[in-house]
Amino acid sequence: MQGLLLLCLICINLHASAAPPGAIFLWPGAPPGGAAPGPQRASARGSITQVEQPYLLVHRPAQPNGTAILLVSGGGYAHIEAGKESGPVAAWLQAQGITAFELVYRLPREGGGVGAPFQDGQRAMRVIRARAAEWRIDPARIGMLGFSAGAHLAGMTAVQPAAALYAPADAIDAVSARPDFVVLLYPVLTMQPPFDTTHAKKELLGARPTQAARDALSVEWHVDAHTPPAFIAQALDDRVSPPENSTLMAAALGRAGVPFELHQFRHGGHGWGLGKPGSEPAAWPRLLLAWLQSRGWLPQAPG
């Protein structure tokens, strides 16, 4: 009996270690296609791997203004840089009255395959919209913000929100996964040469992908008139993700007649998160708030 009790306690502890307290798991059971064997790992800096069950972390303002943003950290689809990207930005958004959600998604090489992160992105948008009333969110003011490879995941969700990536798990999957706007920061978006030098491309497609595989995961190739408006920011001296990722996306949005705002900083490199004080990229939060207000997604002035 004592052995059984000890085994149960071990099981509870292992499950508790999979996600922080208050996490909202995306799937009612096992995620489609599988997941990492776990247990989930997080470095001292908040870099996450081995995601057993993808989940959301909710940051609720004291006085929510009805706008919500789903945050997707980067990490080249090899890890999730929540500690320096989604975490700090979630706290900043919360201070503006915006309800922020951090997405911890499955990584393609750790279980679930290439489609796993995109399944999690769709499902996360549907969960947020389905429970909008509970979180005092306007279901027509839910955006998605991605950093680096996370911007690729956000971009793919924005351009193909209705793609049948998995069999419906429950009634939530009847809800739209389309973000009302998308924010792409130092993004990885294209899988086309000569700009296919990113780690995200290697993790998703390997060394020698077919042209069809490149096309399927090049965000700019799927832009159409139904793509949500976009805010894009990147530094011209980005040595991780070529700046052409942003310009190719902006050109595709322009051809489709989709509103967008593109900011190109001369200096800043890659992976700046909120932006180092005094740096050029540190302007993006202010620019984003102005854009959201101009488009009607942020009706109240930020506090």
Side-chain angles (χ1 to χ4, degrees):
M1 183 69 179
Q2 288 181 339
L4 180 59
L5 178 60
L6 178 61
L7 179 60
C8 289
L9 289 173
I10 291 173
C11 291
I12 291 170
N13 287 335
L14 285 175
H15 182 73
S17 69
I24 297 172
F25 292 102
L26 296 182
W27 304 96
Q40 179 178 299
R41 298 174 183 173
S43 73
R45 295 185 177 183
S47 177
I48 298 171
T49 57
Q50 293 292 111
V51 178
E52 296 176 90
Q53 279 282 357
Y55 59 88
L56 294 170
L57 293 177
V58 188
H59 300 258
R60 302 180 68 177
Q63 295 183 332
N65 58 28
T67 301
I69 296 182
L70 173 61
L71 300 171
V72 192
S73 295
Y77 285 114
H79 55 275
I80 300 168
E81 288 288 357
K84 70 176 186 180
E85 292 181 335
S86 63
V89 173
W92 170 73
L93 289 171
Q94 185 180 24
Q96 314 307 312
I98 297 170
T99 305
F101 296 83
E102 292 184 75
L103 173 61
V104 176
Y105 53 94
R106 289 171 292 160
L107 298 165
R109 301 281 178 121
E110 293 185 352
V114 171
F118 309 112
Q119 293 168 343
D120 294 344
Q122 271 194 353
R123 177 72 181 186
M125 282 298 305
R126 288 171 172 148
V127 168
I128 294 169
R129 187 164 277 123
R131 297 177 61 175
E134 173 186 342
W135 290 311
R136 295 168 61 189
I137 293 168
D138 182 342
R141 286 195 278 135
I142 303 173
M144 201 166 180
L145 185 158
F147 311 81
S148 192
H152 182 266
L153 198 163
M156 288 298 296
T157 305
V159 298
Q160 293 188 317
L165 302 183
Y166 59 89
D170 52 30
I172 288 175
D173 287 321
V175 177
S176 173
R178 179 185 181 272
D180 296 296
F181 57 88
V182 64
V183 181
L184 309 171
L185 302 179
Y186 41 96
V188 174
L189 298 169
T190 189
M191 299 290 144
Q192 307 294 335
F195 312 118
D196 59 339
T197 56
T198 62
H199 194 83
K201 175 264 176 183
K202 295 175 184 177
E203 289 291 313
L204 290 173
L205 298 178
R208 297 180 180 178
T210 65
Q211 187 59 50
R214 291 180 184 275
D215 295 351
L217 291 180
S218 290
V219 177
E220 78 279 10
W221 281 51
H222 302 283
V223 171
D224 60 23
H226 301 289
T227 299
F231 177 99
I232 310 170
Q234 189 169 16
L236 294 173
D237 63 352
D238 189 332
R239 295 186 179 182
V240 174
S241 176
E244 286 82 1
N245 279 275
S246 290
T247 54
L248 286 170
M249 185 65 177
L253 292 164
R255 287 192 298 270
V258 176
F260 70 91
E261 186 164 301
L262 171 63
H263 294 278
Q264 294 180 294
F265 305 116
R266 291 174 299 169
H267 305 289
H270 189 83
W272 18 268
L274 269 175
K276 183 179 179 180
S279 69
E280 291 180 51
W284 81 259
R286 171 180 54 81
L287 295 168
L288 175 62
L289 290 181
W291 183 71
L292 292 173
Q293 287 183 294
S294 72
R295 301 287 308 176
W297 292 305
L298 195 61
Q300 300 177 4

